[in-house]
Amino acid sequence: KYNGFGASWWEFAAALEGLALKSNDLGFLLSIIAHVGCIRVLLLNGTEDQKNYYLHQLMEGRIGATSITEATGGSDVARIRTIGKFVDSNNTRILLYGHKAHITNAPISDIIILVGRIPEIGNRDITLFILEKNFEGLHFGEKEPMLGNRTSPTGDIVINNVELSNQSILGTAGDGLNILYNMISLDRVLYGIVAAAYMEPLLKKSLEYANNRFAFKTPIANHQYIQKKLTDIKLNIEKSRWVSYAALDYLIKGENEASLLCSAAKYIGTESLFETAQHLVQIHGHKGYIDGDITKVILDSIGTRIAGGTSDIQRINIFNQMQKINLNKEEKEWRLQ
């Protein structure tokens, strides 16, 4: 019960790697990451009733979405304007309204974990809500015409006075920020894991091409400038993979530096994928610039640097976590003195 097939998050990561190696569909992989985020946050924070009701649905074909971003705030949680208000004296009924933007899986979602706030409970008001697509007052925008990752549908969610019971609150009202940070940490790790595995067949294809494409009477693989690009891709794979493994280990164990490493995994993985895509064009020359598999990697990789928190946001989180860890160490040293 609640343990799936009895496998661990490591085994899930291995299965996702296998899919990334073979699927040739980065958008599909990003949609899986969003879906899995719903499952994990319910496992960790859902009530027994919520788990019994939602988990089997998410495992049997209903699609999950995690809804954070708003048009005015992006990754800035402090600017979230989706508001819940209690409508009875016992605080058992909530009226929710707001507008979420660019949400992965939104146009096809059935179950949505949504971040909002309940201002009347005080300064700590960030709260997570569970919604279903058939709730009255919930509307979904059209699938956005994305530049890349078109197999991962994104769109808006309009919450127009949706009435909920307090059973639709995930965790405790006002404790949503802690839950949210843990939820997005897994997303970030999985981006890194997917990026590393996705680059593997790209490297194999490029190495084969370099050994069979001749220039100046020799395979281009014999030219140092091509060797540099190929070795760069290999290094991109390895650093993405091993930082992601370390981050997943820290996240599972609840280590202090888990959030920092998860952001590092996302940053290194997606930036490495984008750099690899550029190398692919250079290695394949004009063939790499013709609209096709390689140009698709370029377009898709650009999106990974934005989705799930931009690369700049990952750097901000890494720095903030460094500061936090350093301050904690200084406080501990002061207390010891």
Side-chain angles (χ1 to χ4, degrees), residues 161-227:
N161 290 333
V162 176
E163 187 170 346
L164 308 169
S165 75
N166 57 9
Q167 298 301 310
S168 291
I169 292 176
L170 183 62
T172 304
D175 194 38
L177 210 53
N178 291 329
I179 300 172
L180 176 62
Y181 286 150
N182 191 283
M183 179 174 71
I184 61 179
S185 290
L186 178 69
D187 286 7
R188 291 169 177 175
V189 172
L190 296 182
Y191 269 82
I193 287 173
V194 161
Y198 196 75
M199 285 186 276
E200 286 276 10
L202 299 175
L203 175 58
K204 181 181 178 181
K205 178 181 178 180
S206 297
L207 192 57
E208 290 174 353
Y209 179 82
N211 281 316
N212 289 287
R213 174 76 165 90
F214 279 69
F216 305 103
K217 299 181 181 181
T218 186
I220 64 172
N222 292 334
H223 297 300
Q224 286 188 344
Y225 65 91
I226 294 295
Q227 293 171 7

Side-chain angles (χ1 to χ4, degrees), residues 50-232:
Q50 289 169 342
K51 291 177 184 179
N52 281 325
Y53 182 70
Y54 288 111
L55 282 177
H56 77 90
Q57 297 184 56
L58 289 168
M59 295 298 291
E60 292 178 358
R62 299 191 77 191
I63 304 299
T66 50
S67 179
I68 304 169
T69 305
E70 297 181 2
T72 56
S75 298
D76 186 359
V77 178
R79 290 172 61 86
I80 282 177
R81 295 293 179 264
T82 298
I83 301 295
K85 293 183 177 181
F86 291 114
V87 293
D88 65 339
S89 58
N90 297 321
N91 291 349
T92 60
R93 308 297 299 176
I94 301 163
L95 207 60
L96 190 67
Y97 60 93
H99 191 148
K100 296 294 184 179
H102 320 308
I103 305 302
T104 301
N105 290 350
I108 58 168
S109 62
D110 300 295
I111 297 165
I112 305 101
I113 307 294
L114 184 140
V115 183
R117 56 195 338 145
I118 307 176
E120 60 195 280
I121 66 176
N123 291 331
R124 287 176 55 90
D125 64 349
I126 298 293
T127 302
L128 268 62
F129 302 91
I130 312 174
L131 287 76
E132 298 179 62
K133 70 175 181 180
N134 58 357
F135 281 7
E136 187 175 351
L138 196 61
H139 306 283
F140 298 87
E142 294 294 321
K143 176 182 174 182
E144 295 175 322
M146 305 284 282
L147 179 67
N149 296 309
R150 295 191 176 186
T151 52
S152 180
T154 65
D156 288 8
I157 303 176
V158 179
I159 310 101
N160 186 15
N161 290 333
V162 176
E163 187 170 346
L164 308 169
S165 75
N166 57 9
Q167 298 301 310
S168 291
I169 292 176
L170 183 62
T172 304
D175 194 38
L177 210 53
N178 291 329
I179 300 172
L180 176 62
Y181 286 150
N182 191 283
M183 179 174 71
I184 61 179
S185 290
L186 178 69
D187 286 7
R188 291 169 177 175
V189 172
L190 296 182
Y191 269 82
I193 287 173
V194 161
Y198 196 75
M199 285 186 276
E200 286 276 10
L202 299 175
L203 175 58
K204 181 181 178 181
K205 178 181 178 180
S206 297
L207 192 57
E208 290 174 353
Y209 179 82
N211 281 316
N212 289 287
R213 174 76 165 90
F214 279 69
F216 305 103
K217 299 181 181 181
T218 186
I220 64 172
N222 292 334
H223 297 300
Q224 286 188 344
Y225 65 91
I226 294 295
Q227 293 171 7
K228 181 184 184 303
K229 296 182 191 310
L230 291 168
T231 54
D232 277 350

Side-chain angles (χ1 to χ4, degrees), residues 281 285-296:
V281 174
H286 188 81
K287 287 185 177 180
Y289 193 63
I290 294 173
D291 189 21
D293 289 346
I294 292 173
T295 54
K296 183 177 182 297

